Amino acid sequence: MSDAEEAVTALEELGLTEYEARCFVALTRISKGTAKEISQVADVPRSRVYDTIERLDRKGLVSVQQTEPREYKAVSVETACRRIREDYDSRINAAENALGQLEEPDSPDDEGMWAITQREHVTERVVTFLEEAEDTVHYLVPATEVADREILAALESAADRGVDVCIEVPTDDDRDDFMDAVPSADVVIASDLETTHTVNTQWPAQLLMVDQRSIIAAGIKESDLPNVVNEMAVWTYGRDHGFAVWIRELLDNRLTDRDGDATPSR
């Protein structure tokens, strides 16, 4: 793909039509030109150049010189990017305001089981649950590498605002790392987390329960790409969902038994 084609694609992704993007890129390449010249460079039918240029003019992306024949000139790249960004931000704000006016349902749509297939989205969901925590957080981390800085910061923030945060990790070294990152939390060693089993080339990564209601269970799987690990998860928000009931029971039993099975940090 040529530089011009890449520029056209980028402009289309920012909201310009194909013809608008082609005409603007053409004018950027030739500095200024007539409709005929734009048509030849942009590979746009001449009959469509006129209405396309009018739209670009309304968007503040081209200038029109009243000559015979008329000539057109693109604004600078910096000006064009600024105006496109302003228009894009304006559309986002309008959408946000419109969506904000909608009434929320009495029962949240989050109830039920939901799946996540991308690692960054797993992290976002974990952080969201931690930010909403009011009373308790129980966090099991067999694969401690998934607990990135965002998650650690959200854990510490929850603990600092008075949430009871319990973190279970596999080894002494893991406990030391988490105690440094989340000093306000109760970090314990749970040796059983060191011996999790692989199921269909996947293995447990992290399990979080917040306020005995919000639950996310994630697993990881090695990618064919070097040093790339895929993470996927399921989550639920409903206190009475069957998955939540089971996980709550299992994790509550761990808290009850942890004095015998885990080493406390304090």
Side-chain angles (χ1 to χ4, degrees), residues 2-247:
S2 67
D3 291 342
E5 290 172 334
E6 289 184 1
V8 168
T9 300
L11 290 171
E12 286 184 79
E13 292 176 350
L14 289 174
L16 269 63
T17 67
E18 179 185 357
Y19 282 174
E20 288 172 349
R22 286 186 175 278
C23 288
F24 181 80
V25 170
L27 279 173
T28 300
R29 296 173 65 191
I30 64 177
S31 179
K32 67 178 179 179
T34 63
K36 179 180 179 181
E37 291 168 337
I38 295 171
S39 173
Q40 293 172 335
V41 176
D43 193 22
V44 171
R46 184 173 177 179
S47 61
R48 296 301 308 276
V49 168
Y50 297 103
D51 62 299
T52 301
I53 290 295
E54 285 183 8
R55 292 197 302 272
L56 290 173
D57 184 24
R58 289 196 296 269
K59 293 179 179 181
L61 300 182
V62 301
S63 300
V64 181
Q65 188 173 26
Q66 300 297 330
T67 57
E68 187 58 43
R70 289 186 180 181
E71 288 190 321
Y72 307 96
K73 180 180 178 63
V75 300
S76 69
V77 172
E78 294 77 8
T79 299
C81 289
R82 175 174 55 80
R83 289 175 178 170
I84 291 173
R85 184 181 297 112
E86 290 172 352
D87 181 62
Y88 201 77
D89 289 343
S90 176
R91 295 185 186 187
I92 292 176
N93 292 334
E96 184 178 17
N97 291 334
L99 290 171
Q101 301 301 315
L102 300 178
E103 294 185 3
E104 295 185 2
D106 294 334
S107 178
D109 288 338
D110 287 342
E111 293 183 0
M113 287 289 295
W114 300 83
I116 308 174
T117 57
Q118 296 186 38
R119 184 169 187 175
E120 61 269 24
H121 296 163
V122 175
T123 295
E124 289 176 3
R125 176 52 55 181
V126 170
V127 170
T128 296
F129 278 170
L130 291 172
E131 290 174 344
E132 295 173 350
E134 297 178 353
D135 299 313
T136 61
V137 165
H138 194 172
Y139 187 43
L140 278 66
V141 205
T144 54
E145 64 270 22
V146 302
D148 59 17
R149 286 180 294 179
E150 290 182 73
I151 292 176
L152 294 174
L155 285 165
E156 178 61 8
S157 176
D160 285 346
R161 63 177 183 268
V163 176
D164 183 11
V165 177
C166 174
I167 305 172
E168 296 189 42
V169 295
T171 67
D172 286 318
D173 290 341
D174 294 327
R175 183 185 64 178
D176 293 341
D177 291 340
F178 272 80
M179 288 177 63
D180 289 340
V182 196
S184 302
D186 183 15
V187 186
V188 301
I189 299 172
S191 57
D192 59 322
L193 298 181
E194 199 172 5
T195 56
T196 56
H197 299 289
T198 301
V199 179
N200 294 330
T201 72
Q202 303 177 34
W203 58 95
Q206 55 183 328
L207 174 61
L208 172 71
M209 180 173 69
V210 171
D211 296 337
Q212 293 194 312
R213 179 184 63 183
S214 306
I215 294 172
I216 180 168
I220 54 179
K221 177 180 181 179
E222 287 187 353
S223 168
D224 294 333
L225 300 174
N227 300 320
V228 174
V229 175
N230 295 322
E231 187 176 11
M232 63 291 298
V234 293
W235 63 274
T236 184
Y237 194 78
R239 182 183 296 273
D240 297 328
H241 191 279
F243 178 73
V245 172
W246 269 98
I247 296 299

